[in-house]
Amino acid sequence: KTPFRIVRYPIMNAIKKFLRYIVYHVMAGSTFYLATIACGFTTISPTPQHALQLFLMFALIGLLTITLTELQSHQFLKIPFLGKIFLHFVGTFLIIVGTSFVFNWHFAAPSIVASFIWGYLIIYPVVWLALYFYWWLTARKINVSLRSRQANFHSSNNHSN
């Protein structure tokens, strides 16, 4: 026995998960934004003020994502996977348009709305494909590691017999 009792606080776990989603989305969004700068696709100049505004926008998208993810844990709110993707697609679009108007970015301005929509229709699936590829690589690494551990475990058990 240890003199310390391990106490689990569900609220702390929820806060950690919440912060992980926000940080992850800020990192992913920032990486994507840097890629748009490198490709010359952005209309927002990289200033400290715009960086903070973008962090807020990416954090809001993270909140949307965790909300849709956590809805699955409630029996009465089961949403099929494609339904969640559609809600995320529409919600992300609304967050981008909303932040564009609030922060006066003009990339969703009426004069360029068609090119903005086409850009969004192209960029959104590209981001999902990049994330899917990342998750696939991560799962592959984990599986290789598990197979290696399993092989080491079996070989050590054979030697001990």
Side-chain angles (χ1 to χ4, degrees), residues 47-159:
T47 65
Q49 180 182 4
H50 287 148
L52 292 173
Q53 293 167 348
L54 286 165
F55 283 172
L56 177 63
M57 181 180 76
F58 299 141
L60 289 173
I61 294 170
L63 290 175
L64 171 67
T65 304
I66 195 170
T67 302
L68 292 173
T69 302
E70 292 304 310
L71 283 178
Q72 197 63 24
S73 64
H74 300 289
Q75 285 294 356
F76 63 96
L77 293 174
K78 292 273 186 196
I79 299 172
F81 182 70
L82 288 178
K84 284 198 274 186
I85 295 236
F86 176 76
L87 288 173
H88 189 271
F89 177 83
V90 171
T92 300
F93 182 82
L94 293 174
I95 288 170
I96 293 170
V97 169
T99 52
S100 173
F101 284 118
V102 168
F103 296 129
N104 213 16
W105 290 339
H106 302 294
F107 65 80
S111 61
I112 58 168
V113 76
S115 62
F116 169 73
I117 290 172
W118 277 112
Y120 185 75
L121 290 173
I122 292 167
I123 291 168
Y124 190 87
V126 167
V127 170
W128 268 101
L129 286 173
L131 289 172
Y132 179 81
F133 182 68
Y134 171 75
W135 294 326
W136 178 78
L137 285 176
T138 302
R140 201 166 161 202
K141 275 201 246 181
I142 291 170
N143 288 335
V144 166
S145 177
L146 288 173
R147 278 194 289 275
S148 173
R149 283 184 184 181
Q150 189 176 27
N152 290 339
F153 176 75
H154 288 302
S155 69
S156 68
N157 280 346
N158 289 340
H159 292 299

Side-chain angles (χ1 to χ4, degrees), residues 26-58:
V26 168
M27 287 178 3
S30 299
T31 301
F32 181 74
Y33 177 66
L34 287 173
T36 62
I37 290 173
C39 295
F41 295 140
T42 188
T43 60
I44 303 172
S45 58
T47 65
Q49 180 182 4
H50 287 148
L52 292 173
Q53 293 167 348
L54 286 165
F55 283 172
L56 177 63
M57 181 180 76
F58 299 141

